[in-house]
Amino acid sequence: RGEVAYRSERLGDVATHLNAYLKNSKVLGEANPSNANYILGYTAVKNQDYKNALQYFMQVNTTDLLQKLDVQNRMGDCYYMQKNFAKALELYNAVIEAKTSGSDYAIFQKAMIAGAQSHASDKIALMRSIETQYPSTIYYGDAQMEIANTYLSNEDYAAALPYLEKIINDKSVEGLKPQAYLKMGISQYNLEKENDALNTFKTLLNKYPQSAESEDAIDNIRNIFIEQGKPAEYVQFIKSSGKNISSNEADSLTYSSANLQLNSGNKEKAL
């Protein structure tokens, strides 16, 4: 009943049924105390109760290698979320050394710890190694994004671009593409490539109009048009995108753009 409740996402029932089973447990095939603790551990993780999740996972006693490695990763996660990085690393390293299922994830988490400890170069090296050691890893896109994020946090926009391009060009990481387009546009803008940034933001808006990043793209497009002294082109662009813009907002943009150009000494663009 506990396993059925878990599969049905009835997490409260999981704890009730499985804890009752553990008080008077009987081994019937896969119904055993080890698997009960395994499911309880995952349930606690889903509830973000990492302290109790750790205790459940510690009681899993299995001869199945893949399950054992999975438990080590989950225990590593519990320590990671409680910022006990030394214990987390010990467990992740054990999984990495096994060089099998879950090892790519363990490398990813080890890289995240390096980042949390301000070891940017170590984080980047570890993230890069995931693709090299496990070409078909499901963490490919996330690793590329984390490398890009690390460069972006250090304002190394040029170095971030190739990793954002990898995400954009990979069909298997569609969910990360709106974020990649936004960060690419911001990088291009900071590298004073305003027209490239404008095209990137427009692509984001056209391909992913319903994404959370689309609103940020609009803000950036507006800022670029205003800085270029082209408020009318922004208004035209917004209308062509099927979005509304009031006459008051359009007038305000014209004023803001003219004022910016005057302050920058560009009198001709201000007129």
Side-chain angles (χ1 to χ4, degrees), residues 230-251:
K230 301 175 181 178
E233 289 188 26
Y234 170 73
V235 172
Q236 183 180 2
F237 169 76
I238 288 299
K239 289 181 177 179
S240 68
S241 300
K243 299 183 183 295
N244 296 321
I245 184 168
S246 67
S247 57
N248 286 340
E249 185 179 354
D251 290 342

Side-chain angles (χ1 to χ4, degrees), residues 6-116:
Y6 180 79
R7 291 176 179 174
S8 303
E9 295 289 327
R10 302 197 315 271
L11 301 184
D13 291 342
V14 174
T16 299
H17 293 313
L18 290 182
N19 279 315
Y21 164 77
L22 287 173
K23 289 179 180 178
N24 188 26
S25 60
K26 294 181 180 179
V27 176
L28 294 171
E30 292 186 0
N32 57 68
S34 181
N35 282 339
N37 280 300
Y38 184 66
I39 295 171
L40 282 167
Y42 264 97
T43 302
V45 167
K46 286 192 174 185
N47 286 325
Q48 299 181 14
D49 183 1
Y50 302 106
K51 184 177 180 180
N52 281 320
L54 184 60
Q55 297 305 311
Y56 287 126
F57 285 128
M58 283 180 171
Q59 296 178 71
V60 175
N61 183 18
T62 178
T63 57
D64 184 291
L65 177 61
L66 295 184
Q67 187 181 50
K68 180 180 179 180
L69 293 171
D70 183 58
V71 168
Q72 287 179 313
N73 266 338
R74 299 294 76 78
M75 289 173 64
D77 293 345
C78 292
Y79 282 122
Y80 175 85
M81 295 305 296
Q82 296 178 84
K83 300 189 184 302
N84 189 338
F85 296 143
K87 282 285 189 180
L89 281 173
E90 183 180 329
L91 288 155
Y92 291 139
N93 282 331
V95 179
I96 291 169
E97 289 173 9
K99 295 182 180 180
T100 185
S101 178
S103 296
D104 51 349
Y105 175 81
I107 296 173
F108 185 91
Q109 289 298 97
K110 184 175 180 178
M112 293 300 290
I113 290 174

Side-chain angles (χ1 to χ4, degrees), residues 229-231 254-255 257-259 261-262 266-271:
K230 301 175 181 178
T254 300
Y255 172 79
S257 180
N259 193 46
Q261 297 305 321
L262 283 172
N266 298 322
K267 293 184 179 180
E268 290 184 3
K269 284 189 176 182
L271 298 177

Side-chain angles (χ1 to χ4, degrees), residues 117-179:
Q117 295 177 329
S118 300
H119 301 315
S121 59
D122 290 341
K123 176 183 177 180
I124 290 170
L126 285 163
M127 288 295 180
R128 285 174 176 165
S129 74
I130 296 174
E131 179 185 0
T132 303
Q133 296 182 47
Y134 302 95
S136 59
T137 177
I138 62 173
Y139 302 104
Y140 170 82
D142 292 311
Q144 306 310 310
M145 185 64 77
E146 284 299 330
I147 294 171
N149 286 342
T150 303
Y151 282 125
L152 291 174
S153 67
N154 291 321
E155 299 184 1
D156 191 347
Y157 302 106
L161 285 175
Y163 298 95
L164 296 171
E165 287 174 359
K166 282 186 175 184
I167 295 170
I168 289 170
N169 294 329
D170 194 300
K171 295 179 180 179
S172 68
V173 291
E174 196 67 25
L176 292 173
K177 290 187 179 182
Q179 188 182 157

